[in-house]
Amino acid sequence: MSKLTRTPPQINISMSASNPDLPTSENLRCDKRRRLSGDERDSSTSMQCELQKLFASLELKLLHRIETIEKDVREIKCMSTSSQETNQAIEKSISFVTNQLTALEDKIDKLEDNRKVISKEISLLDSKCENMERIMRKSCIEIRNVPKIKNEKLNDLFNMIHTLSAKLGLKLGNSDLRDVYRINNKANKDVSSVIFEVSNTLLKSCFLESAKKWNRSGSDQLNSTHLGLTGNVTPIYISECLTARAKRIHYLARDFAKTHSYDFCWTSNGLVYLRKKSGDPYILIAHEGKLEELK
């Protein structure tokens, strides 16, 4: 087989050269390369501008955020410093108050000790006063529920006691009756107590015993007629002249005796006594606390 060769087509150079307006292939490639590189430069420039704007915006935001954080940090530092100063002031105040409380506690302890001492002294003085008052009343007798006389005089009171003593079979002379006086009763304007003092405690005991025998005899109980008084008949009650403290103890002791089945409750020489049953030892009620102990 014969070897064939192909020859490239022949270009009419003379035609191309004679017509310069016709683009050649080289010119086409160069023009296309210049056009593509211009678009790329525009796109790159635009992207750079956008990135620069974005970075600038981010930078502004970051700077603003940093400034805000720095401001907050400064405020926190100021608050922390102020808080530390406040805490120190509070600690000083607490320390001061604690010292004051300690001092007050010491004073209170001392006052409490003084109060106990004073309380003991008052109790002792009260007992002494009670004893002195009881001694002063040791020969006095009280008649309760005595009707009042209009324009009553001291002589009227003496006559009442003399009349009553005669009814009881006792003859009191002027030397036997030392004093008589009436105690006003605010609760009742018509009756009150009359207290009289005899010359000695033996006469006092005889008078009280005679009054008890009269009331036990079964005849009419002692009343205002036995004092020589006219008008409405009023029962009268005769007893020792007790101090205010002894009267209260006697009242509580009588109530205690009824509640706890004590058969006897009486007074002697201004003191109050209890006895459970006949033959049992007597119990001296010197103060109200004694009744609490008996419970």
Side-chain angles (χ1 to χ4, degrees):
M1 184 176 180
S2 61
K3 189 175 181 180
L4 295 177
T5 60
R6 294 182 179 180
T7 59
Q10 298 294 322
I11 296 174
N12 193 346
I13 299 173
S14 60
M15 186 180 295
S16 299
S18 62
N19 192 1
D21 295 330
L22 292 175
T24 62
S25 59
E26 185 66 25
N27 291 334
L28 288 173
R29 284 194 297 269
C30 291
D31 183 60
K32 184 177 181 181
R33 191 179 296 114
R34 284 194 300 271
R35 188 165 60 248
L36 289 174
S37 60
D39 292 339
E40 289 177 355
R41 281 195 300 271
D42 293 339
S43 177
S44 176
T45 303
S46 176
M47 186 178 293
Q48 289 178 357
C49 292
E50 289 179 1
L51 288 174
Q52 288 176 356
K53 291 180 180 179
L54 180 60
F55 288 147
S57 177
L58 289 174
E59 185 178 3
L60 290 175
K61 289 182 180 180
L62 287 173
L63 289 175
H64 179 71
R65 184 60 178 167
I66 291 171
E67 290 177 356
T68 304
I69 292 172
E70 289 178 348
K71 183 179 179 182
D72 293 340
V73 170
R74 286 194 298 268
E75 291 179 355
I76 291 172
K77 287 183 178 179
C78 292
M79 291 175 64
S80 177
T81 304
S82 177
S83 178
Q84 289 179 356
E85 293 175 354
T86 303
N87 289 338
Q88 291 176 355
I90 292 173
E91 289 177 357
K92 290 181 180 179
S93 299
I94 292 173
S95 178
F96 176 76
V97 172
T98 302
N99 293 333
Q100 292 294 318
L101 288 175
T102 303
L104 286 175
E105 287 177 355
D106 294 338
K107 289 182 179 179
I108 291 172
D109 291 338
K110 292 180 180 178
L111 290 174
E112 182 64 21
D113 294 337
N114 292 335
R115 186 196 66 80
K116 291 179 180 179
V117 173
I118 293 172
S119 179
K120 290 180 180 179
E121 293 178 353
I122 290 174
S123 179
L124 181 61
L125 289 174
D126 185 57
S127 298
K128 289 182 178 180
C129 290
E130 179 69 16
N131 292 333
M132 292 177 63
E133 188 176 359
R134 186 171 64 251
I135 291 172
M136 291 174 62
R137 294 171 180 246
K138 67 179 180 178
S139 58
C140 292
I141 299 173
E142 181 178 0
I143 306 175
R144 300 189 303 277
N145 209 44
V146 179
K148 293 182 179 179
I149 301 175
K150 188 176 182 181
N151 299 322
E152 186 177 70
K153 297 180 181 179
L154 181 60
N155 189 48
D156 296 327
L157 296 176
F158 270 90
N159 290 335
M160 290 182 193
I161 304 305
H162 283 297
T163 303
L164 178 61
S165 64
K167 287 287 184 181
L168 296 176
L170 299 172
K171 293 183 179 180
L172 296 180
N174 291 331
S175 59
D176 295 326
L177 193 59
R178 298 180 61 181
D179 193 13
V180 182
Y181 57 93
R182 183 185 287 274
I183 299 176
N184 290 324
N185 186 358
K186 296 181 180 180
N188 194 331
K189 296 181 180 180
D190 298 327
V191 297
S192 66
S193 295
V194 172
I195 296 174
F196 66 96
E197 183 180 1
V198 294
S199 58
N200 55 72
T201 56
L202 179 60
L203 186 57
K204 167 192 169 182
S205 299
C206 291
F207 196 100
L208 292 173
E209 187 63 28
S210 298
K212 289 179 181 179
K213 286 181 179 180
W214 181 282
N215 288 330
R216 292 171 184 169
S217 65
S219 59
D220 55 338
Q221 300 292 302
L222 290 173
N223 55 63
S224 57
T225 60
H226 298 116
L227 294 171
L229 300 177
T230 59
N232 296 330
V233 179
T234 304
I236 60 175
Y237 308 97
I238 302 175
S239 64
E240 286 189 273
C241 183
L242 301 175
T243 64
R245 178 181 175 183
K247 284 182 179 179
R248 174 167 176 78
I249 294 175
H250 189 211
Y251 169 79
L252 295 174
R254 291 199 308 271
D255 184 69
F256 180 87
K258 293 178 182 178
T259 305
H260 297 81
S261 301
Y262 277 73
D263 293 340
F264 303 98
C265 177
W266 74 97
T267 63
S268 178
N269 295 322
L271 300 175
V272 182
Y273 297 90
L274 283 174
R275 178 176 283 152
K276 187 74 173 179
K277 294 180 181 180
S278 181
D280 290 347
Y282 65 83
I283 303 171
L284 172 62
I285 311 300
H287 50 82
E288 297 179 20
K290 185 64 177 180
L291 296 174
E292 294 295 328
E293 294 175 5
L294 293 176
K295 291 180 181 180

